[in-house]
């Protein structure tokens, strides 16, 4: 739908042209009413994305996350639903996450996994008519620090949906055992590395606990983990920063949605694509899954100048 101003100053509303919706043609017209052209274009690009053929991941752990997109009232772009993991969680406590979790044997597909986990974590309805499946994106993989066991890698499949009635988000309730906070962030910021004026309200303080960086919105550093060099992206938010795997998922989502590359340098020099890293782990895991860490010790990241620094992910050594 587009809104145009006539010569007499009145506004006219043009209905959505359903012949130009691509993969969104299965979504009812009323669900798309009120969306900006930018939002419709983003959703159409995502819906037109050719979902990858699922490959055999062998013994590698698998998970799925839900990228739930919606247009905020009074805004003209898409935002994404996020959580801050509970500080009591064994893995990645107090870090930003997309609703999601491991694939259970009884799950029929990754769509079910992502939706089930979103229901368990924040109470997002499993069958609400305003939640529309859009697509499945290419999988990404957790990047682990040095001295981590190969079996702790997890391949994560992003499942994208569109929420046409954002009012349902006001009824979400965090599961106290898993989630400390629920918040949102503009998807566009994950491709530009900046935020619009209307998105500045409520951002955490620069130099504070959640954003101890000099950069205003987007910070990076290159590090070395078990699979080689990796560029860690961090995005400042109204809560915990988006970083690591969550940033990798949202960068990919934004690139597909806006059909363009990031406005910053996405990869470190000689960083391998996730498809290569996943293939390598699938091949190597059977050879090492029963082997303990030979020299257990502090879990550390490497730096490009050869230094090492301690990682907070102590679980990764040999869990």
């Amino acid at each position: 739908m587009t809104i145009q101003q006539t010569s007499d100053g009145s506004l006219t509303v043009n209905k959505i042209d359903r012949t130009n919706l691509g993969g969104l043609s299965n979504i009812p017209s009323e669900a798309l009413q009120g969306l900006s052209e930018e939002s419709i274009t983003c959703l159409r690009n995502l819906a037109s994305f050719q979902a990858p053929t699922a490959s055999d991941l062998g013994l590698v752990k698998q998970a799925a996350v839900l990228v739930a997109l919606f247009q905020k009232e009074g805004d003209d772009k898409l935002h994404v639903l996020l959580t801050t993991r509970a500080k009591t969680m064994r893995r990645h406590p107090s870090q930003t996450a997309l609703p999601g979790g491991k694939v259970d044997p009884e799950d029929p597909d990754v769509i079910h996994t992502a939706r089930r986990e979103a229901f368990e974590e924040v109470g997002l309805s499993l069958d609400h008519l305003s939640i529309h499946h859009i697509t499945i994106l290419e999988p990404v993989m957790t990047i682990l620090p040095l001295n981590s066991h190969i079996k702790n890698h997890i391949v994560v499949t992003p499942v994208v949906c569109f929420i046409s009635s954002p009012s349902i988000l006001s009824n979400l309730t965090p599961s106290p055992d898993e989630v400390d906070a629920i918040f949102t962030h503009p998807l566009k910021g994950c491709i530009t590395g900046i935020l619009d004026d209307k998105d500045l309200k409520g951002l955490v303080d620069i130099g504070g606990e959640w954003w101890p960086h000099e950069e205003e919105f987007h910070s990076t550093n290159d590090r070395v983990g078990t699979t080689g060099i990796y560029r860690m992206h961090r995005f400042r938010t109204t809560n915990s920063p988006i970083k690591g795997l969550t940033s990798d998922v949202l960068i990919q989502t934004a690139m597909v949605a806006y059909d363009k590359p990031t406005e910053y340098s996405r990869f470190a020099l000689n960083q391998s694509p996730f498809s290569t890293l996943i293939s390598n782990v699938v091949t190597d895991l059977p050879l090492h899954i029963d082997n303990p860490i030979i020299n257990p010790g502090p879990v550390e990241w490497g730096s490009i100048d050869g230094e090492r620094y301690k990682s907070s992910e102590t679980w990764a050594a040999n869990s």
Side-chain angles (χ1 to χ4, degrees):
M1 178 180 69
T2 59
I3 302 177
Q4 297 178 331
Q5 189 170 28
T6 62
S7 58
D8 63 359
S10 61
L11 297 179
T12 60
V13 178
N14 298 324
K15 292 185 177 180
I16 293 173
D17 179 8
R18 298 200 62 82
T19 63
N20 194 34
L21 288 180
L24 298 178
S25 57
N26 61 328
I27 297 180
S29 295
E30 57 269 21
L32 301 174
Q33 297 295 331
L35 292 183
S36 67
E37 292 186 11
E38 176 178 319
S39 292
I40 288 180
T41 298
C42 286
L43 292 174
R44 184 174 63 239
N45 288 340
L46 286 162
S48 300
F49 179 77
Q50 186 63 46
T53 302
S55 59
D56 183 3
L57 297 176
L59 300 175
V60 181
K61 298 175 183 177
Q62 300 179 51
V65 293
L66 188 68
V67 184
L69 302 174
F70 65 98
Q71 182 175 295
K72 275 189 173 181
E73 184 177 354
D75 205 343
D76 59 357
K77 59 186 179 298
L78 297 174
H79 291 245
V80 60
L81 177 69
L82 295 166
T83 69
T84 299
R85 289 168 61 85
K87 61 178 64 70
T88 55
M89 294 289 285
R90 177 167 171 260
R91 297 190 175 190
H92 311 297
S94 298
Q95 291 192 13
T96 299
L98 293 153
K102 71 175 183 178
V103 176
D104 288 342
E106 58 270 23
D107 290 342
D109 52 39
V110 291
I111 299 174
H112 179 85
T113 300
R115 293 291 301 274
R116 173 180 56 76
E117 287 286 342
F119 173 73
E120 294 173 1
E121 291 179 8
V122 299
L124 186 66
S125 174
L126 289 169
D127 55 6
H128 200 285
L129 294 179
S130 68
I131 303 176
H132 313 274
H133 174 70
I134 299 296
T135 193
I136 296 172
L137 298 178
E138 295 181 9
V140 299
M141 188 177 71
T142 50
I143 303 297
L144 301 180
L146 298 169
N147 205 35
S148 302
H149 199 292
I150 189 174
K151 70 181 180 181
N152 288 318
H153 285 290
I154 303 174
V155 173
V156 180
T157 302
V159 176
V160 182
C161 74
F162 167 60
I163 299 176
S164 57
S165 297
S167 60
I168 69 172
L169 300 179
S170 62
N171 297 321
L172 299 184
T173 303
S175 169
D177 294 332
E178 298 184 77
V179 176
D180 276 349
I182 301 171
F183 64 105
T184 67
H185 192 76
L187 180 66
K188 192 174 186 178
C190 294
I191 196 171
T192 63
I194 60 176
L195 294 176
D196 297 340
D197 289 344
K198 64 178 63 177
D199 297 315
L200 302 183
K201 184 179 180 180
L203 288 178
V204 296
D205 293 335
I206 295 177
E209 175 186 3
W210 287 127
W211 193 253
H213 311 290
E214 296 180 355
E215 296 87 351
E216 188 171 8
F217 301 118
H218 174 231
S219 171
T220 68
N221 82 292
D222 295 346
R223 53 180 61 186
V224 180
T226 57
T227 52
I229 193 165
Y230 167 72
R231 175 158 293 168
M232 167 71 77
H233 293 272
R234 305 179 188 87
F235 298 93
R236 181 178 167 214
T237 74
T238 58
N239 208 284
S240 49
I242 299 169
K243 65 179 184 177
L245 183 136
T246 301
S247 67
D248 294 327
V249 170
L250 293 183
I251 289 169
Q252 180 193 175
T253 305
M255 289 177 62
V256 174
Y258 285 92
D259 192 26
K260 65 178 184 179
T262 57
E263 296 180 14
Y264 49 81
S265 180
R266 182 184 180 192
F267 295 114
L269 182 65
N270 297 323
Q271 179 175 335
S272 298
F274 279 108
S275 57
T276 298
L277 300 181
I278 292 172
S279 178
N280 291 342
V281 170
V282 170
T283 300
D284 293 343
L285 181 56
L287 305 176
H288 301 282
I289 193 167
D290 294 324
N291 297 339
I293 294 291
I294 296 177
N295 296 308
V299 181
E300 300 174 319
W301 290 103
S303 63
I304 56 176
D305 58 8
E307 297 294 324
R308 290 194 176 198
Y309 55 97
K310 187 177 180 181
S311 169
S312 62
E313 299 173 60
T314 54
W315 58 268
N318 194 19
S319 60

